[in-house]
Amino acid sequence: MEAHQKQITVHAQHAESAPVIYLPVVMGDGSEVYECCRELDCPPFALVTIGGLDWNRELSPWACDGTVRDAEPFGGQAAGFLDELLNQIIPQVESSLPQPPTWRGIAGYSLAGLFALWSLWQTGAFDRAASASGSLWFPGFIDYAHQHAMTATPDAVYLSLGKKETKTPNRMMRYVLDDTHAMEKLLGDRGILAAFELNP
């Protein structure tokens, strides 16, 4: 299958060395996320958003049925996108920065949150990860995480979920809170600093 043309946007306002966070986005260029972080007085960082993704295909680690009957199936092409991220996007972005990053993170919402965590098992390129409302219900992911070693141990991982996300009739998604707690425990058991927030 032909890869989609990616839209890469770099948000950065500081010339000194700072962390770089990579964020796949469904729509927009991530400017709202960057502005919210600035309003929260986050330390300086560069935010790199990647748009133009075939969401269900390029962010799912393996192929499986869609979440409801007749829904688009998950294509299982995350390895291809990760390869593009590691070998094309990151070198291109970081060669254009005034200083090398102090550390590198990966973040995502929903299926991109799943991708952010899954990538920790594939590469040591990321020092930190954030999975906001991550699709940790994805079939087989928690088992996969238990059965495989991470490529490298990240410094920290952030997990979050909305309080109402488990209140769904969807058979695939209804255990997302249990799965997120399971991931928090797994990370803790492996000595990784993990924070979990349940949000309104």
Side-chain angles (χ1 to χ4, degrees), residues 52-132:
L53 287 151
D54 183 332
W55 200 251
N56 276 15
R57 183 170 66 85
E58 292 186 282
L59 294 173
S60 52
W62 42 81
C64 75
D65 292 340
T67 53
V68 293
R69 188 191 305 256
D70 299 328
E72 179 191 351
F74 295 98
Q77 299 295 312
F81 171 52
L82 181 61
D83 182 70
E84 184 180 355
L85 182 60
L86 295 175
N87 296 306
Q88 295 176 41
I89 297 169
I90 289 175
Q92 176 188 331
V93 165
E94 294 182 9
S95 68
S96 72
L97 296 174
Q99 301 282 338
T102 51
W103 53 265
R104 186 185 297 126
I106 185 161
Y109 169 79
S110 187
L111 204 53
L114 171 75
F115 175 84
L117 290 182
W118 171 82
S119 69
L120 299 177
W121 272 261
Q122 316 307 313
T123 176
F126 303 107
D127 304 297
R128 303 182 191 184
S131 174

Side-chain angles (χ1 to χ4, degrees), residues 126-151:
F126 303 107
D127 304 297
R128 303 182 191 184
S131 174
S133 292
S135 302
L136 306 191
W137 49 262
F138 194 83
F141 178 64
I142 297 298
D143 288 341
Y144 173 89
H146 276 285
Q147 291 161 11
H148 294 80
M150 288 177 161
T151 304

Side-chain angles (χ1 to χ4, degrees), residues 2 21 27 42 54 75 77 114 154 164 166 169-170 189-190 193:
E2 190 179 317
I21 312 294
M27 53 188 174
C42 290
D54 183 332
Q77 299 295 312
L114 171 75
K164 294 183 179 175
T166 56
N170 188 289
D189 290 347
R190 296 190 183 182
L193 179 66

